[in-house]
Amino acid sequence: MNPTPPAAVMARRATLVGGAGLLAGCALPERADPVPTDRIRNAQVLGLPNERFCVTDPTDIPRIVEEFNQAGRRQRAAFGLGPRDRLPDGHIIAFSGGGENGAFGAGLACGWTEAGTRPSFNLVTGISTGALTAPLVFAGPHRDAQLRAAYTEITAADVLAERGLLAALVDDALADSAPLARTIARFYDASLMAEVAQGYARGRQLVIATTNLDAQRPVAWNLGAIAASGHPRALDLSRQVLLASAAVPGVFPPVMIDVTVDGLPYQEMHVDGGTYAQAYLYPPALGASRAERIRQGLTPPAVTAYVVRNGRLALSGGPVRRRVLPIASRAISTLIGAAGVNDVFRIEATARQHGIAFRLAYIEDDFTAQEVEPFGQDYLRALFAYGYGKARGGNPWKPGLPG
């Protein structure tokens, strides 16, 4: 192998010097003070006692259980049930992350409506692209036209704006998420938030997950409680949460959420909920109290849990070039794929342990369209049609993971 020519060495040094000069001349992204580590549990956004929960924090479990108990009481009132009447059968659903593959879950929900078997859900959760699906599904089938539009009429320009190569050195992400924020605002408007509030008043729950990167912990946002609060910042916060849940670290900027602790202002950094888990339904500790809650009439005795994995269970694989970036990229995609399947396994095992029926839908090998470009309409429409056909033409649900 020939040694590097002196001219090339000089060119590289010049590039590095030039890059350093650019860095010196650029204003790097700034932020307000982060929440002190020992005060993370005390941070509040709107000041609501139930605006959000940390599902991995043992001290938050009693609050989560009480939130579900209150939902059960609201359900009983909405159905006009007497003290000895049992709640109707329950249905809960989780929409996973998956980027463009969210078109699968959107198509499945719309096809399910056409099949005439789609239930009203007691609980809807969403992470990343699933966070964009969840509010429209929560509102009900009359929002299907918007759900279809959200995944078949958008282009890459509705999601991101590239910042250029230097962004990796001087900015907080490679792309600007302002287009995605505008798209979210177009769909999650005041009327949709009002419908979320109405559902919450009837004992139904909408939960969106983000990751607090400062604290390295997942956050489950109670969008129903936020919507029903009447707080003047409720709509803006809901949109921030939806954007944060889809903010893939490095690709999109983190969403900085203003909070207060003991009356003092701080700022939290939130990113894609899939950074911690790609699908979330409920904390296992909630299921541990299920028998007692059934006895008290605060939860349905019969519940079916649905998980929509916006992706495949098995990665296709293929040869990897022996270079740093291809190796790192393949390793990360393998890690993410395995973690996603593990999330499904965890949810399935937890549901079965608590006597909850489990159903799973995912992109199978019979979908063969290839993605040519990010958020290409041909791919999005093909995948939407695939999910729609699966649900419209029969039963897309599997009783669990294969094997």
Side-chain angles (χ1 to χ4, degrees):
M1 180 180 292
N2 293 329
T4 305
V9 173
M10 294 303 295
R12 288 182 187 174
R13 289 178 180 172
T15 300
L16 291 173
V17 171
L22 285 170
L23 284 171
C26 288
L28 299 177
E30 297 293 339
R31 61 168 297 177
D33 291 338
V35 179
T37 302
D38 62 343
R39 304 296 290 162
I40 286 171
R41 290 176 180 157
N42 303 96
Q44 292 186 317
V45 187
L46 302 184
L48 308 176
N50 59 344
E51 63 192 11
R52 61 183 185 171
F53 305 95
C54 177
V55 298
T56 58
D57 187 340
T59 65
D60 264 10
I61 297 303
R63 296 174 57 232
I64 295 173
V65 171
E66 180 56 26
E67 179 66 18
F68 275 78
N69 287 345
Q70 291 292 346
R73 295 183 181 101
R74 293 194 301 273
Q75 283 183 53
R76 297 192 68 83
F79 286 117
L81 298 179
R84 297 183 180 276
D85 296 331
R86 58 169 271 173
L87 283 166
D89 292 354
H91 303 271
I92 59 181
I93 189 167
F95 290 93
S96 82
E100 296 95 320
N101 288 336
F104 169 71
L108 185 145
C110 293
W112 203 354
T113 298
E114 287 298 310
T117 55
R118 175 174 150 185
S120 175
F121 296 104
N122 303 65
L123 168 68
V124 181
T125 73
I127 286 180
S128 197
T129 189
L132 309 182
T133 304
L136 293 166
V137 171
F138 181 87
H142 67 283
R143 290 282 183 175
D144 280 3
Q146 287 141 303
L147 183 57
R148 178 190 292 268
Y151 282 94
T152 63
E153 296 179 9
I154 65 168
T155 66
D158 296 304
V159 178
L160 55 84
E162 294 184 7
R163 288 177 167 174
L165 294 177
L166 274 179
L169 297 175
V170 302
D171 222 324
D172 56 0
L174 294 174
D176 188 347
S177 61
L180 179 57
R182 290 191 292 269
T183 298
I184 289 172
R186 192 165 75 247
F187 289 100
Y188 198 90
D189 56 11
S191 66
L192 179 54
M193 188 176 77
E195 291 179 28
V196 171
Q198 291 167 7
Y200 181 78
R202 294 182 62 83
R204 301 172 59 231
Q205 294 172 284
L206 173 63
V207 176
I208 301 299
T210 67
T211 301
N212 181 336
L213 208 54
D214 292 319
Q216 293 184 294
R217 54 193 258 167
V219 179
W221 295 84
N222 192 352
L223 253 64
I226 292 170
S229 70
H231 196 285
R233 288 177 53 203
L235 181 57
D236 286 341
L237 175 60
S238 298
R239 289 169 172 173
Q240 274 192 301
V241 169
L242 294 173
L243 181 62
S245 187
V248 180
V251 178
F252 290 133
V255 175
M256 309 307 298
I257 296 181
D258 294 328
V259 300
T260 58
V261 178
D262 301 328
L264 297 177
Y266 294 96
Q267 206 171 52
E268 294 176 344
M269 179 181 289
H270 286 259
V271 298
D272 192 332
T275 305
Y276 198 94
Q278 292 175 44
Y280 162 76
L281 198 52
Y282 64 87
L286 178 66
S289 65
R290 177 166 157 73
E292 176 60 21
R293 293 171 55 240
I294 290 174
R295 189 188 68 78
Q296 296 179 21
L298 298 177
T299 193
V303 175
T304 301
Y306 303 88
V307 173
V308 179
R309 174 163 166 76
N310 290 309
R312 301 179 185 273
L313 291 184
L315 301 176
S316 57
V320 180
R321 251 185 109 214
R322 193 170 179 179
R323 296 291 185 273
V324 171
L325 291 181
I327 293 171
S329 176
R330 178 59 64 83
I332 292 171
S333 67
T334 303
L335 175 64
I336 292 172
V341 174
N342 287 337
D343 289 332
V344 174
F345 177 79
R346 170 180 48 80
I347 293 172
E348 178 183 351
T350 300
R352 295 194 188 285
Q353 180 184 354
H354 299 142
I356 294 174
F358 180 84
R359 302 290 183 269
L360 171 67
Y362 54 90
I363 301 172
E364 300 182 62
D365 292 340
D366 55 346
F367 179 71
T368 57
Q370 297 294 317
E371 185 177 10
V372 178
E373 58 182 351
F375 298 96
Q377 282 194 338
D378 289 345
Y379 180 80
L380 290 173
R381 290 171 178 173
L383 187 51
F384 181 94
Y386 171 78
Y388 182 95
K390 283 279 188 183
R392 176 66 181 86
N395 184 3
W397 304 102
K398 310 293 184 185
L401 287 167

